[in-house]
Amino acid sequence: MSMYFDIGDETLWNPSNDAGRLFLRQVEVFEAELGLPSGIGQGKYGGAPDTLEVDPAVFAEFVRGLVAWHCRTGHAVITALSEGFAATAIALARRAGIDVEMPEPGAGHVCGGSQSDVQAPGNPRTASAATAAALDTRARELDRWMAR
C-alpha cells in the first residue's frame, strides 16, 4: 500500500504508508512548532486516508517558514532533528513548483537566539551558509528517492 500527496490531478509524491505516516506525524509537530498550517489535508476522494491534497499557497508559506526556522537555529540537536523533515518538505515543494530559496546568512544574524533553547556548552553562533547549503543538497538527494 502507499499514500498519495496530490495537487489537483498531479501526484507529487507516492510514498509507502510507513514513510507517509511518519512524514504526516512530523507535519503535525512542525505545524505546532512554527504556528503555521501546512496546507496538507485529506484528499479529493471522500477523505480517503491514503490520498492527501496539498494546497500550494499554504504549503509554500509553511515550507518557507520551516526553512527560515531551520536555518536560523544554532542548536546542533534541533538542526539534526529537523534537517530530514525540512529537506523532504523542500523536495515536495519544489515538485509543486514552489520556489524555495535558501536564506543567506545576514550580517549580525545570530542563530539560537531563543532563551528557552540554549545550547550548552557554547554561545549562539552566526548563521552559516553551510547550514543552508547542506539542507539544499539533502533536499535534492531526497528528490531522487521520492517515488511519484
Side-chain angles (χ1 to χ4, degrees):
M1 297 297 299
S2 62
M3 300 176 90
Y4 297 88
F5 290 80
D6 295 345
I7 290 182
D9 292 332
E10 180 184 0
T11 296
L12 302 174
W13 185 29
N14 178 225
S16 68
N17 281 337
D18 290 342
R21 275 193 313 269
L22 183 58
F23 180 76
L24 287 174
R25 287 183 180 128
Q26 290 180 326
V27 164
E28 292 174 5
V29 167
F30 285 96
E31 283 176 327
E33 188 66 30
L34 300 171
L36 294 171
S38 67
I40 298 175
Q42 289 301 85
K44 55 192 173 271
Y45 301 111
D50 63 346
T51 303
L52 296 123
E53 189 69 21
V54 178
D55 179 320
V58 177
F59 191 60
E61 291 304 313
F62 176 76
V63 173
R64 289 178 185 136
L66 175 65
V67 168
W69 174 88
H70 175 82
C71 288
R72 79 174 168 257
T73 187
H75 195 289
V77 174
I78 292 173
T79 299
L81 290 170
S82 64
E83 183 180 40
F85 174 76
T88 305
I90 292 166
L92 190 59
R94 287 177 175 163
R95 286 183 175 187
I98 296 167
D99 183 32
V100 182
E101 294 184 22
M102 297 298 115
E104 293 290 327
H109 179 76
V110 176
C111 297
S114 169
Q115 294 295 341
S116 64
D117 284 325
V118 176
Q119 178 174 294
N123 296 320
R125 66 176 191 211
T126 303
S128 169
T131 301
L135 185 59
D136 185 54
T137 298
R138 186 69 177 133
R140 292 180 193 285
E141 290 171 352
L142 282 173
D143 184 57
R144 291 191 308 236
W145 295 101
M146 293 170 67
R148 285 191 187 232

